[in-house]
Amino acid sequence: MKLLLTSLNSRYTHQNLAIHYFYNILKEKYDVSLEEYTINDRIENIAYKIYRGGYDLVLFSIYIWNINMSLDLISYLKEISNVKIVAGGPEVSFDYEEIFKKSDIDFLIIGEGEEVIESLLDKIQSNSIINLHGVLYKKDGEVQGNSRYNIVQNTNNIPCIYLRKENINKNKYLYYEVSRGCPYNCKFCLSSTNKGVRVRDKDIVFKELKNILDSKVSIVKFVDRSFNFIPYHYDLIKFLIDNDNNITKFHLEIHPSLISDEFIGLFKKARSSQFQFEIGLQTTNLQTEKEINRVGSFDDIKEGVLKLKETGIHIHMDLIFGLPYETYEIFKKSFNDLYSLKIDKIQLGFLKLLKGSRLREDYKIYNYRFLQDPPYEVISNMWVSIDDVFKMKVIEDVVEKFYNEKNFEYTINQLEEFYNSPFDFFEDFASFWEDKYYLKNISKSGLYDAFLEFLIKKELDKRDVLDCLRIDYLRNNNRSQKSLISKYFNILEKNEVLKTVERNKELIEEFSGIDSKYILKYSQFEEIDGKIYMFIKGNFLILEKEEDNDK
């Protein structure tokens, strides 16, 4: 039996862990191939390539981002061949009756499939009766089999796919899991369906990670739901720091209530860009936290995050709009609470009622309306209206473009004194943005023009604010680009620039790492508020005009 393992990833740089595990389980026994495509590829092109492969069976790994395209591709394959189809993944592990009804799938694997896949293929090949936990199939128009959700209790049985360097693609994100499951039971999350955390042995993990580090992969993303719950996570961090290759960056999702002083202390010896953290705050409303089984008070979380910031590590934190008991006005407080931490990136997410989650099961209790197709995003509930949701969509766009990219950092900080709260500013800007620019393709320099237009319209074009906008523009753009802000430039004459460079030669070379005689090629000089600013590499150095006052 000739097999193909495949999945449609959301982008080329992503990989699907599940089919790589399956490949390592099956490769010694079966004629098996592995191919990964993306949701941007054309269905007919993928189908033709699979058809030309002459496969007897194709296994699809199906997720929220690829289910519709996967089902269309499966239908296409069934039209042009007699290939059998096996499917697994979160999107087919629930509502299996509906999946069978609207698809041409032959077999479904419910839950984690590593311990059942080989037995299933053996029975398909021998045309034997299938009676396996977590395997369903359709016979005579009826769904048959065992629907018990598969769980790999001993995660050491999961194949070690990164012990061989040929399995490591340096051009893609490398996904790695130390544990499965989550210690918490948040009602919006799929992890709440299965209690408990299963952790792989430290020796196995360290061997794989050493091989990954030796391969000098750019980014490793741990897929563990709460990395800092892993019993040996201290030893794991120390191992990564001690074996640092000066290249690899590790992305960790950590639980905010588990940020301890000991955990923070680990990173004081780390390379500045070796780690980045993703932290799911979700809400700071106590009633909401209780309703969704969320753990941890904001006061404790705030203390931990502020200490974590001192390490200089990139921090990305999430909020979810549409949770129970959180109105638009209450969400403002959650936003302002998070904003007060001044972390690197704020992600405004919108609640999705995922298959298998508790909130989806109880959606009628909260009067949820949500999209029936992926991504199952909430449209409204008892506390927020459709208008609230769409208003927040625009605010999310503004936060992403103007806060998260850090291209307007100084200007936004300067504007805080004109608004009662950070959310009020983003809400005000979003109202302007929706009228003129929302959903339009705006260039990077065009964002500065839009921001300047907003300042003028709101009569916020004060000198200090405009100075900050000039600083933000010049540290991120070349002055030669056409921009409305160019009329506020105060360009220095070349002779004055040369004198400034000569006076501050040592300071400039120490700051830039460039020989001062080449500095004009890589930098821009501007006079702002009586001082000379040198802009280079997204940063700037302030120089006094008079030699005696240089700093």
Side-chain angles (χ1 to χ4, degrees):
M1 188 163 63
K2 191 175 182 182
L3 314 175
L4 174 67
L5 309 175
T6 192
S7 187
L8 307 177
N9 299 328
S10 59
R11 60 183 68 177
Y12 170 76
T13 53
H14 292 183
Q15 287 183 291
N16 183 294
L17 266 181
I19 61 174
H20 284 270
Y21 288 151
F22 283 8
Y23 180 81
N24 276 265
I25 292 169
L26 302 171
K27 65 182 180 180
E28 302 299 331
K29 189 171 185 178
Y30 283 97
D31 179 6
V32 58
S33 300
L34 186 153
E35 292 284 349
E36 294 182 78
Y37 303 97
T38 79
I39 56 175
N40 298 312
D41 295 323
R42 294 176 64 88
I43 285 179
E44 55 268 35
N45 293 343
I46 302 172
Y48 179 70
K49 188 172 181 182
I50 293 175
Y51 170 78
R52 292 283 288 172
Y55 300 104
D56 300 298
L57 183 146
V58 180
L59 183 146
F60 284 85
S61 183
I62 299 182
Y63 294 81
I64 193 171
W65 60 82
N66 68 18
I67 180 169
N68 288 336
M69 186 171 173
S70 296
L71 295 184
D72 289 344
L73 175 57
I74 289 167
S75 295
Y76 200 120
L77 287 171
K78 285 291 192 177
E79 286 288 338
I80 63 176
S81 70
N82 295 318
V83 66
K84 291 187 181 298
I85 302 293
V86 176
E91 278 300 296
V92 297
S93 292
F94 306 94
D95 292 343
Y96 45 83
E97 293 271 4
E98 186 66 23
I99 293 293
F100 274 121
K101 187 185 299 183
K102 66 181 183 182
S103 77
D104 296 301
I105 294 171
D106 296 296
F107 303 92
L108 286 181
I109 298 174
I110 308 300
E112 300 170 10
E114 287 87 358
E115 293 182 339
V116 74
I117 182 62
E118 186 176 355
S119 297
L120 172 59
L121 295 181
D122 288 347
K123 289 183 178 295
I124 293 173
Q125 180 167 252
S126 62
N127 201 26
S128 303
I129 295 173
I130 296 174
N131 184 21
L132 298 168
H133 288 307
V135 174
L136 298 172
Y137 56 95
K138 192 157 59 174
K139 184 177 181 181
D140 300 327
E142 297 292 328
V143 177
Q144 299 190 20
N146 186 312
S147 63
R148 191 179 80 174
Y149 195 95
N150 276 306
I151 293 290
V152 177
Q153 293 294 349
N154 185 355
T155 49
N156 292 326
N157 293 333
I158 297 172
C160 298
I161 61 176
Y162 297 123
L163 291 179
R164 300 176 64 182
K165 284 188 168 60
E166 56 263 36
N167 290 336
I168 299 175
N169 189 333
K170 294 171 65 174
N171 298 317
K172 295 190 176 187
Y173 292 163
L174 189 148
Y175 294 93
Y176 192 81
E177 63 176 335
V178 180
S179 62
R180 286 188 179 177
C182 182
Y184 306 104
N185 292 288
C186 302
K187 287 185 179 180
F188 58 83
C189 183
L190 262 185
S191 296
S192 65
T193 59
N194 300 294
K195 295 182 179 181
V197 178
R198 296 151 284 144
V199 184
R200 300 171 76 196
D201 284 351
K202 182 166 66 173
D203 291 344
I204 295 173
V205 170
F206 282 17
K207 283 180 183 178
E208 281 199 285
L209 288 175
K210 184 64 169 65
N211 203 40
I212 290 167
L213 285 162
D214 290 343
S215 300
K216 297 184 177 180
V217 175
S218 296
I219 298 178
V220 175
K221 300 190 77 171
F222 285 93
V223 298
D224 306 87
R225 301 303 299 168
S226 297
F227 181 90
N228 49 340
F229 186 82
I230 297 168
Y232 56 83
H233 69 274
Y234 294 108
D235 292 339
L236 181 46
I237 295 296
K238 289 176 185 176
F239 176 84
L240 297 177
I241 293 173
D242 291 343
N243 291 276
D244 182 30
N245 58 19
N246 292 313
I247 293 174
T248 306
K249 176 181 289 186
F250 294 92
H251 180 99
L252 317 175
E253 184 173 344
I254 62 177
H255 198 283
S257 66
L258 298 175
I259 300 174
S260 65
D261 289 342
E262 186 180 0
F263 179 75
I264 294 167
L266 290 170
F267 298 96
K268 292 180 178 178
K269 295 182 180 180
R271 173 170 48 91
S272 61
S273 59
Q274 188 179 2
F275 297 95
Q276 60 185 31
F277 296 122
E278 181 177 348
I279 301 173
L281 180 62
Q282 321 309 7
T283 179
T284 63
N285 182 39
L286 294 177
Q287 190 175 10
T288 300
E289 288 178 350
K290 183 178 180 180
E291 186 67 18
I292 63 174
N293 298 331
R294 192 71 181 164
V295 175
S297 72
F298 179 66
D299 287 341
D300 292 338
I301 292 168
K302 180 177 181 178
E303 182 181 357
V305 171
L306 290 177
K307 289 180 180 178
L308 201 57
K309 274 184 62 180
E310 295 175 5
T311 66
I313 294 174
H314 177 95
I315 300 174
H316 166 152
M317 294 184 72
D318 303 333
L319 290 174
I320 297 178
F321 188 70
L323 292 170
Y325 293 104
E326 191 158 57
T327 64
Y328 182 90
E329 290 298 319
I330 292 174
F331 185 84
K332 284 185 180 182
K333 182 180 183 304
S334 290
F335 180 92
N336 289 327
D337 286 341
L338 174 52
Y339 191 89
S340 71
L341 302 180
K342 296 288 186 179
I343 45 92
D344 297 285
K345 187 170 183 178
I346 295 174
Q347 180 68 51
L348 296 186
F350 295 83
L351 181 63
K352 299 172 178 61
L353 296 190
L354 302 175
K355 290 180 180 179
S357 67
R358 289 277 304 282
L359 279 185
R360 179 157 177 150
E361 292 175 3
D362 298 337
Y363 78 95
K364 291 182 180 179
I365 297 174
Y366 308 105
N367 198 24
Y368 272 119
R369 293 178 59 203
F370 63 100
L371 300 176
Q372 297 303 301
D373 288 323
Y376 313 119
E377 198 164 277
V378 164
I379 299 170
S380 65
N381 63 21
M382 292 172 64
W383 301 276
V384 296
S385 67
I386 295 174
D387 289 338
D388 291 333
V389 170
F390 280 102
K391 189 174 181 180
M392 194 61 67
K393 288 278 186 183
V394 185
I395 294 172
E396 184 267 340
D397 190 49
V398 167
V399 170
E400 181 63 30
K401 287 183 169 68
F402 293 91
Y403 176 83
N404 286 340
E405 296 300 320
K406 301 305 177 191
N407 293 330
F408 298 85
E409 187 173 3
Y410 290 90
T411 313
I412 291 175
N413 287 341
Q414 188 67 33
L415 284 172
E416 286 183 11
E417 65 178 275
F418 298 100
Y419 287 89
N420 292 327
S421 76
F423 188 91
D424 290 330
F425 160 70
F426 286 104
E427 184 180 47
D428 194 24
F429 194 9
S431 179
F432 161 83
W433 185 251
E434 182 179 14
D435 287 342
K436 295 206 65 174
Y437 295 104
Y438 185 52
L439 301 182
K440 292 183 180 179
N441 188 17
I442 311 295
S443 67
K444 184 179 178 181
S445 62
L447 294 176
Y448 289 88
D449 290 344
F451 206 117
L452 177 60
E453 186 181 346
F454 167 75
L455 294 176
I456 293 171
K457 181 177 180 180
K458 296 292 181 177
E459 298 182 350
L460 293 169
D461 50 334
K462 318 296 183 186
R463 192 195 73 180
D464 290 348
V465 177
L466 291 176
D467 284 349
C468 287
L469 188 60
R470 287 161 68 196
I471 291 171
D472 280 328
Y473 183 89
L474 290 169
R475 69 189 180 92
N476 295 297
N477 298 274
N478 191 298
R479 191 191 280 115
S480 62
Q481 292 177 295
K482 292 182 179 180
S483 173
L484 294 177
I485 199 173
S486 61
K487 67 180 180 180
Y488 297 100
F489 290 156
N490 189 5
I491 303 171
L492 294 167
E493 293 183 3
K494 187 173 182 179
N495 285 340
E496 189 171 358
V497 172
L498 292 173
K499 289 178 183 178
T500 302
V501 171
E502 183 60 31
R503 286 202 309 266
N504 299 276
K505 180 179 177 180
E506 292 183 6
L507 181 61
I508 288 172
E509 289 181 350
E510 180 183 356
F511 178 77
S512 67
I514 299 172
D515 192 310
S516 60
K517 63 184 177 182
Y518 301 116
I519 200 69
L520 296 186
K521 182 178 179 181
Y522 299 101
S523 62
Q524 301 178 105
F525 288 80
E526 177 89 359
E527 183 178 342
I528 300 175
D529 194 23
K531 296 181 177 64
I532 296 176
Y533 282 62
M534 184 186 78
F535 295 92
I536 185 169
K537 298 178 181 177
N539 209 336
F540 60 86
L541 180 65
I542 303 175
L543 306 164
E544 295 286 353
K545 273 189 167 184
E546 299 299 325
E547 185 173 359
D548 292 340
N549 294 323
D550 284 345
K551 63 176 183 180

